[in-house]
Amino acid sequence: MREYARFLVRCFRLSFVGDWKYYTWMFFLTCISLIGLNAYCKQFVHGLATTGMTDQVSWGLYIANFTYLVGIAAAAVMLVIPAYIYKNKDLHDVVIFGELLAVAVIIMCLLFVTVDLGRPDRFIHLFERFNFPLSMLTWDVIVLNGYLLLNAHITGYLIYSAYRKREPNKRLFLIPFVLIAIVWAVSIHTVTAFLYSGLGGRPFWNHAIIAPRFIASAFAAGPAFIILTLQVIDRFTNHDVPRGVFHLLRQIVTVAMTINVFLLISEMFTEFYTGTGHSFSTHYLYFGIGEHRALVPWIWTAIVLNTIALILLYLPHKNRGIWILNTACVMLIVGIWIEKGMGLIIPAFVPTPLGEIVEYIPTVNEILVCGGIWAFGLLLYTIMVRITVPVLSGELTADTLHPSELNTVRQHTV
Amino acid sequence: MDLRIFEGSGKSPGEACSCGSRGGAGSRPGMTRRSFLRASVGAAGGMAAFAAAISPLRELEAGDVPNLDAFLQKHYKEMTEEEMEAALARIRERVEQRYHVRPEIRDIKPMDGVEFVYALNLSRCIGCRKCVHACVAENNQSRDPEIQYIRVIEMPRGTTDIEQGDHHYDRPRVPDENHYYMPVQCHQCANPPCTKVCPVEATWTEPDGITVVDYDWCIGCRYCEAACPYWARRFNFTEPRLASPEEIAKDPEIESKRLNPNMSYLSNRPRPKGVMEKCHFCLHRTREGRMPACLEVCPVGARKFGNVLDPESDVSNILRTKRVFVLKAELGTLPRFFYYFDERDPSAEDLPAMKHGGRTAPAGDENGGAS
Ligand code: SF4
Ligand code: SF4
């Protein structure tokens, strides 16, 4: 126990140590987070009127970001499955970074839900009258927090084992949890999709394809995100990521994206060919209704980005492979963010169930809050990686000192 | 050994926090003066930035922060009689403080053997929106921003497709002869999607069929608003006010004058910001045998309300004898709000009026021709 406390203290200290690049990056993220906090405080005082949401479009950017991030979080399993089930050695090493990402991203998800609440001060009511199993939102609360705990346990256990130089007890503390986490990752997705598709009064959401599309797009955007992250880790830390990992992830992204596009086409066909009243929202999304066209430029940007990304992924990759892959990943991340965030949430509210058309334009304050949460999430993730890399490489263990700490020893003796 | 070394590490800006709290950090060996300075400057800067970030919280008013009793208040269904009394006393006090009016507030329970139902005669409604405003006045809805429970939609004759309606019609005179008018409010569904989705059971259906919200329990997630197929729910995006700042500037007492002091816990008591509200069939009136405000004000008698379990009631009679329909029946929400048209009198001028609709007639012809 004492040893563990010491471990935490060392981690805490380590997170303040780094070169100037690290400081600049952390300083930048801290600033954005604080700006976001400031914007949230304004919202807390004046109410959600500080956002662009209305009774007509009652969910906006917050829930859009939440939805997108649930996908990213679940994608961590795309590293875990091949690593543990197919015993892919390359992946073993990097799984932990995927799971850490899941931890940071789930925290972001929970923050996005919290800032969306009109009465966050009544949070405790969830513990007193929990409408389970009727409300899908309660399911979501359970699966998201469960996923957070699972991943925090797995990563925490792995890191701490490395720190104590102990061989992790795989049978007891690792594999069962990893297997649960795999199933759980699919569940956080499915439940979040059911949150929307269960509403009969919103035809845009009320169909069975929502959940599969959710999973497909997440398994494209998530690994894309991880590809980029791993490269950053590879470059800025002394942790080497085996090249094979990128190859495997690329395959996952390609397959998932292909399925996603196929599902999208099926969806569009049903909506537009039949042309029932069902398709008003879809129409609004892709073409606008009358002079109401706020989402049109966005969704077409997303379509272009996704299409180019898919083509790039299918191109044979040779020497410049990694740059092509990176471009494709960035495009996918942005494209799917638009498609699944804005494109999935907002059109469901336009027109309203009574046929009124009111558009949603997020306010600056709302965007600042979102930016703050993103920055905070990245900050958390950076710290986690900062600590994990030296521990895994054996630089920081229970009985050795990290170079940054040695520095102090020198100072001490001077 | 290690531990000592750690205590001496003076590299980071964050350090100063921990050192500072223990006091006298500067004198400790191992902490060079320069690194100590750097650390304290960093920490002080961080604290200042944090303080600046949360500074908007200073604008919170005393009334915004709930006292402990209010914070610990239980869910409506779990409150004992004494606890309810205490809750009502708190509300009374708050209303008096803010509006200088002593409200008549109670917790009115449903009557046995009663299930309320509304029936609206579309042949009669002239779209004057008197019901909309009577409702706002009766139920202490916010005037700024404006919250209205009833939406009257102007529909072109010849269709019942709600997407073709106009929500914001503005005519010097109503009714317009090419349109009919369809008021929509909470349908008090017998199978309500809104209560099903609420994560904290802040909204539920009472035994007399009225779906209510406990304004002190709702966490403001707006899931119910997304779930309602009739767009019947309204959210308090900010602190509700009974008058706009300009109106208050003209007449400082205007909010007190507008306040309806006859209130109940589950219906028209003033709502805080950040919670959901909706039509509750004026339960503080109807549970005591009076009619809803919207019905009383209707100049043409288009609205009928009553107990459907009583076979002699107006509404039972209408459900038995008229051609009644509900909105979006396919969703299975089982509304307790019915629409009907007056029966066609075969001898009357109704017939040309039907032709006037245009669309129904040719469509009927086509079908007739085909079969
Ligand atoms: S009309 Fe809407 S708010 Fe009213 S009971 Fe039905 S679903 Fe709930
Ligand atoms: S807004 Fe309030 S009443 Fe509606 S679902 Fe959320 S907690 Fe329940």
Side-chain angles (χ1 to χ4, degrees):
Chain A
M1 214 57 237
R2 256 191 81 135
E3 193 55 43
Y4 189 67
R6 208 183 128 229
F7 168 64
L8 290 183
V9 172
R10 289 182 78 182
C11 289
F12 178 75
R13 300 203 167 185
L14 194 57
S15 63
F16 286 101
V17 182
D19 58 4
W20 67 270
K21 280 186 217 141
Y22 179 75
Y23 279 127
T24 319
W25 172 240
M26 296 298 272
F27 181 73
F28 169 74
L29 290 180
T30 310
C31 287
I32 308 275
S33 307
L34 286 177
I35 293 175
L37 177 66
N38 180 261
Y40 179 67
C41 288
K42 283 187 195 143
Q43 177 187 309
F44 189 81
V45 172
H46 300 290
L48 284 156
T50 51
T51 69
M53 291 185 273
T54 52
D55 276 318
Q56 284 84 0
V57 185
S58 50
W59 279 344
L61 268 194
Y62 296 154
I63 297 296
N65 275 298
F66 159 76
T67 311
Y68 176 74
L69 288 173
V70 169
I72 303 279
V77 290
M78 292 321 288
L79 291 168
V80 180
I81 295 176
Y84 286 96
I85 306 216
Y86 302 115
K87 308 229 173 349
N88 181 318
K89 267 272 163 269
D90 278 354
L91 275 179
H92 250 287
D93 237 19
V94 295
V95 159
I96 200 159
F97 295 108
E99 301 217 342
L100 286 173
L101 185 67
V103 172
V105 168
I106 289 283
I107 293 175
M108 290 165 77
C109 286
L110 295 174
L111 285 176
F112 269 116
V113 179
T114 310
V115 298
D116 190 61
L117 292 183
R119 300 301 301 224
D121 53 319
R122 296 185 182 165
F123 190 75
I124 185 150
H125 291 179
L126 272 175
F127 298 98
E128 293 173 46
R129 274 190 96 91
F130 199 55
N131 189 10
F132 184 82
L134 223 46
S135 168
M136 287 323 285
L137 208 52
T138 56
W139 282 74
D140 226 13
V141 169
I142 293 175
V143 292
L144 287 179
N145 286 299
Y147 193 64
L148 178 62
L149 290 182
L150 269 175
N151 282 299
H153 162 78
I154 296 171
T155 50
Y157 182 68
L158 279 177
I159 295 173
Y160 191 58
S161 299
Y163 175 76
R164 296 297 299 271
K165 292 207 162 150
R166 286 196 294 230
E167 195 47 34
N169 183 340
K170 290 209 167 133
R171 287 257 159 118
L172 211 56
F173 291 121
L174 204 58
I175 302 296
F177 289 98
V178 168
L179 291 179
I180 298 174
I182 292 174
V183 181
W184 208 284
V186 177
S187 86
I188 64 171
H189 247 82
T190 315
V191 168
T192 307
F194 285 176
L195 202 72
Y196 307 114
S197 67
L199 302 182
R202 305 269 169 196
F204 185 71
W205 285 338
N206 190 220
H207 46 79
I209 213 166
I210 293 270
R213 246 196 90 194
F214 241 64
I215 299 195
S217 65
F219 285 177
F225 207 86
I226 292 177
I227 290 179
L228 297 182
T229 320
L230 287 180
Q231 284 178 60
V232 173
I233 293 174
D234 190 63
R235 237 184 110 157
F236 289 103
T237 73
N238 47 13
H239 188 92
D240 283 323
V241 179
R243 296 287 107 178
V245 171
F246 295 113
H247 182 67
L248 190 99
L249 284 175
R250 192 188 122 205
Q251 282 175 332
I252 294 174
V253 176
T254 315
V255 172
M257 195 56 198
T258 313
I259 297 177
N260 186 31
V261 169
F262 171 71
L263 292 177
L264 176 73
I265 293 173
S266 324
E267 200 179 348
M268 300 252 280
F269 172 79
T270 332
E271 297 274 357
F272 289 121
Y273 189 79
T274 358
T276 57
H278 235 209
S279 63
F280 274 114
S281 295
T282 323
H283 219 275
Y284 169 70
L285 174 61
Y286 289 102
F287 306 111
I289 301 181
E291 75 271 32
H292 306 286
R293 323 173 32 89
L295 289 182
V296 178
W298 287 96
I299 195 69
W300 287 101
T301 314
I303 290 178
V304 171
L305 287 175
N306 288 346
T307 318
I308 300 181
L310 193 60
I311 295 172
L312 287 181
L313 285 171
Y314 272 110
L315 285 181
H317 290 194
K318 294 256 173 59
N319 307 338
R320 306 254 184 134
I322 200 76
W323 285 108
I324 298 182
L325 180 61
N326 287 350
T327 321
C329 286
V330 172
M331 288 179 148
L332 271 184
I333 290 170
V334 178
I336 292 180
W337 182 79
I338 298 175
E339 182 197 310
K340 202 161 141 195
M342 313 262 276
L344 181 83
I345 304 302
I346 293 150
F349 294 94
V350 189
T352 67
L354 295 185
E356 186 187 6
I357 298 179
V358 173
E359 292 198 284
Y360 163 75
I361 315 279
T363 58
V364 175
N365 204 65
E366 199 175 358
I367 294 172
L368 290 180
V369 174
C370 294
I373 296 179
W374 273 90
F376 183 70
L378 285 175
L379 191 83
L380 280 182
Y381 189 60
T382 313
I383 293 178
M384 291 180 199
V385 171
R386 173 82 190 92
I387 293 165
T388 309
V389 171
V391 174
L392 286 191
S393 67
E395 269 178 58
L396 179 79
T397 62
D399 34 44
T400 51
L401 285 172
H402 188 253
S404 71
E405 292 163 355
L406 287 175
N407 206 4
T408 325
V409 183
R410 231 177 293 129
Q411 268 180 23
H412 201 64
T413 46
V414 164
Chain B
M1 178 64 203
D2 278 356
L3 263 167
R4 241 187 66 222
I5 290 165
F6 273 122
E7 278 178 359
S9 109
K11 257 229 123 193
S12 73
E15 206 106 289
C17 306
S18 50
C19 295
S21 62
R22 275 182 247 138
S27 61
R28 218 144 355 106
M31 169 77 92
T32 64
R33 183 154 297 154
R34 215 180 80 222
S35 65
F36 173 67
L37 256 170
R38 208 164 60 189
S40 0
V41 167
M47 298 288 243
F50 185 78
I54 61 167
S55 65
L57 294 182
R58 278 187 314 221
E59 283 174 55
L60 276 179
E61 284 156 31
D64 286 339
V65 189
N67 63 22
L68 195 64
D69 288 340
F71 186 72
L72 293 177
Q73 183 177 315
K74 293 202 191 113
H75 185 275
Y76 175 82
K77 292 187 187 172
E78 284 170 11
M79 271 192 261
T80 62
E81 240 165 74
E82 296 82 65
E83 285 167 335
M84 176 49 86
E85 269 317 311
L88 293 177
R90 275 195 295 275
I91 298 170
R92 223 170 270 134
E93 196 181 318
R94 263 208 317 272
V95 170
E96 253 190 300
Q97 239 171 38
R98 171 148 178 203
Y99 299 102
H100 318 292
V101 175
R102 187 154 183 88
E104 186 66 46
I105 177 161
R106 290 162 304 153
D107 169 36
I108 310 173
K109 300 283 183 202
M111 296 182 278
D112 283 334
V114 174
E115 180 177 344
F116 288 124
V117 147
Y118 219 122
L120 199 145
N121 187 340
L122 290 173
S123 310
R124 290 231 175 148
C125 176
I126 54 168
C128 63
R129 293 195 178 115
K130 280 202 161 52
C131 50
V132 177
H133 301 293
C135 169
V136 169
E138 173 69 31
N139 291 311
N140 294 320
Q141 267 117 293
S142 174
R143 317 300 209 275
D144 179 43
E146 187 142 44
I147 290 186
Q148 301 172 341
Y149 295 162
I150 307 177
R151 196 32 94 75
V152 185
I153 307 173
E154 185 180 76
M155 302 281 294
R157 284 182 185 269
T159 179
T160 52
D161 177 7
I162 217 162
E163 310 263 346
Q164 297 186 34
D166 180 0
H167 288 244
H168 304 285
Y169 66 94
D170 183 17
R171 297 179 183 281
R173 286 185 64 84
V174 283
D176 177 69
E177 57 171 18
N178 296 320
H179 293 91
Y180 70 100
Y181 297 84
M182 179 180 250
V184 184
Q185 62 210 70
C186 174
H187 284 5
Q188 317 290 359
C189 310
N191 180 20
C194 58
T195 61
K196 195 157 74 178
V197 301
C198 177
V200 292
E201 295 175 36
T203 180
W204 66 92
T205 305
E206 291 268 294
D208 55 0
I210 302 177
T211 294
V212 292
V213 181
D214 182 347
Y215 312 120
D216 289 340
W217 198 258
C218 167
I219 58 172
C221 67
R222 306 188 300 296
Y223 196 13
C224 54
E225 194 168 34
C228 170
Y230 304 102
W231 195 61
R233 292 186 161 251
R234 298 293 181 274
F235 185 69
N236 287 287
F237 282 91
T238 189
E239 189 68 32
R241 273 181 297 251
L242 294 187
S244 66
E246 299 82 63
E247 286 173 313
I248 297 177
K250 259 190 242 143
D251 175 2
E253 291 294 294
I254 189 161
E255 287 199 288
S256 320
K257 287 185 206 154
R258 281 186 178 167
L259 185 81
N260 173 8
N262 177 20
M263 323 173 165
S264 85
Y265 185 92
L266 288 177
S267 66
N268 60 343
R269 66 176 163 121
R271 275 77 67 186
K273 83 169 171 243
V275 304
M276 198 55 76
E277 56 176 288
K278 62 181 272 298
C279 160
H280 37 72
F281 277 178
C282 283
L283 64 79
H284 53 283
R285 299 166 63 112
T286 51
R287 282 184 179 173
E288 301 197 317
R290 294 163 70 201
M291 285 292 158
C294 50
L295 182 146
E296 257 177 19
V297 79
C298 180
V300 293
R303 291 172 168 263
K304 300 283 181 222
F305 179 85
N307 178 9
V308 75
L309 301 182
D310 169 9
E312 301 302 313
S313 66
D314 261 1
V315 283
S316 297
N317 195 30
I318 290 167
L319 292 188
R320 254 196 321 270
T321 59
K322 301 283 187 177
R323 299 175 182 177
V324 173
F325 73 97
V326 294
L327 281 188
K328 309 198 187 199
E330 72 279 8
L331 296 180
T333 48
L334 308 178
R336 291 192 178 90
F337 196 101
F338 299 89
Y339 295 95
Y340 65 103
F341 292 96
D342 274 333
E343 291 299 307
R344 174 157 51 98
D345 176 353
S347 65
E349 329 55 48
D350 259 21
L351 275 173
M354 290 240 349
K355 272 244 171 72
H356 189 93
R359 268 181 240 179
T360 41
D365 282 349
E366 254 171 52
N367 285 344
S371 60

